[in-house]
Amino acid sequence: RKEVEQDPGPFNVPEGATVAFNCTYSNSASQSFFWYRQDCRKEPKLLMSVYSSGNEDGRFTAQLNRASQYISLLIRDSKLSDSATYLCVVGNNNDMRFGAGTRLTVKP
Amino acid sequence: SQTIHQWPATLVQPVGSPLSLECTVEGTSNPNLYWYRQAAGRGLQLLFYSVGIGQISSEVPQNLSASRPQDRQFILSSKKLLLSDSGFYLCASPGGSRGYTFGSGTRLTVV
């Protein structure tokens, strides 16, 4: 089993749609969780951290389910500019593991 | 905050040629530095990490090596490139609650 697993997609959604991604992890001792966004041929950039109580940043909501060992990312009112690959990152301190990413394409 | 510089941005090298990619860290720095590789359409694979000068750990056996000659410098090398070494190479440093900071990457194509 991979340490961090994501559905690779692609997810093709119309503008304005709500889309959700899940990411499962195998190390139950993991304490740090993040979602990154990666545009084509660019480096990953931090989208948001994921906190135990869940957190929201504008149209983006992240949640953590420790019991089932997964994190989720919800994007509301999708924009064309949301098209990218979304990577989940799980780990502890300086030992972080990356999912392979979920590709999202938002279409007009 | 910290900035990670990587160069070159793009590189095309023949099979069997040597490689040297450099990563330097500017600003507040965590002592740990990482080299990742991302193959086309794939996730990030951790290649090497370093916790300090001269200290290198390898995650996977491969045709590559790494060195940390200075605190803020991390170098990825190969004596003879293989076709399978093609990919997007990223240098990263932990940023605590802000996750990892990445350099802009080097896209290597071995031909």
Side-chain angles (χ1 to χ4, degrees):
Chain A
R1 180 183 176 186
K2 291 181 181 177
E3 292 172 318
V4 181
E5 291 198 70
Q6 293 182 251
D7 180 343
F11 284 62
N12 298 309
V13 303
E15 267 188 296
T18 296
V19 61
F21 310 134
N22 279 346
C23 168
T24 59
Y25 60 94
S26 59
N27 184 357
S28 59
S30 299
Q31 295 294 325
S32 299
F33 308 89
F34 304 93
W35 281 103
Y36 276 72
R37 171 192 169 126
Q38 186 174 24
D39 293 294
C40 187
R41 306 180 74 83
K42 297 288 187 180
E43 75 275 21
K45 293 189 177 178
L46 180 66
L47 177 65
M48 59 196 303
S49 303
V50 186
Y51 302 122
S52 297
S53 56
N55 47 298
E56 187 174 307
D57 182 1
R59 298 181 292 109
F60 299 85
T61 300
Q63 291 191 313
L64 167 64
N65 185 318
R66 287 190 184 273
S68 300
Q69 293 183 207
Y70 75 86
I71 62 173
S72 64
L73 177 68
L74 180 78
I75 305 175
R76 292 183 298 277
D77 188 23
S78 300
K79 310 292 185 189
L80 295 177
S81 57
D82 293 334
S83 296
T85 296
Y86 291 83
L87 308 174
C88 69
V89 184
V90 177
N92 291 294
N93 297 323
N94 298 319
D95 183 13
M96 306 299 291
R97 304 291 164 159
F98 289 78
T102 298
R103 185 167 179 181
L104 171 67
T105 301
V106 181
K107 299 187 174 181
Chain B
S1 63
Q2 61 182 338
T3 304
I4 297 182
H5 300 281
Q6 277 187 254
W7 63 91
T10 306
L11 193 59
V12 180
Q13 293 282 102
V15 169
S17 64
L19 172 74
S20 180
L21 301 181
E22 189 160 343
C23 165
T24 59
V25 181
E26 183 182 304
T28 305
S29 68
N30 182 298
N32 293 5
L33 291 174
Y34 302 82
W35 276 113
Y36 285 89
R37 177 172 61 201
Q38 187 176 35
R42 306 289 293 276
L44 274 69
Q45 179 188 30
L46 179 61
L47 301 176
F48 299 96
Y49 67 92
S50 171
V51 299
I53 295 173
Q55 301 180 67
I56 308 293
S57 296
S58 174
E59 281 289 301
V60 293
Q62 57 210 326
N63 183 42
L64 303 169
S65 62
S67 62
R68 183 93 176 260
Q70 300 179 42
D71 183 48
R72 294 175 182 267
Q73 186 182 28
F74 199 22
I75 298 172
L76 183 70
S77 305
S78 174
K79 291 182 179 178
K80 289 185 178 182
L81 285 169
L82 306 172
L83 288 175
S84 57
D85 292 324
S86 294
F88 190 37
Y89 288 82
L90 290 158
C91 180
S93 179
S97 61
R98 293 197 52 77
Y100 279 16
T101 299
F102 287 90
S104 55
T106 295
R107 191 161 301 278
L108 171 67
T109 303
V110 183
V111 296

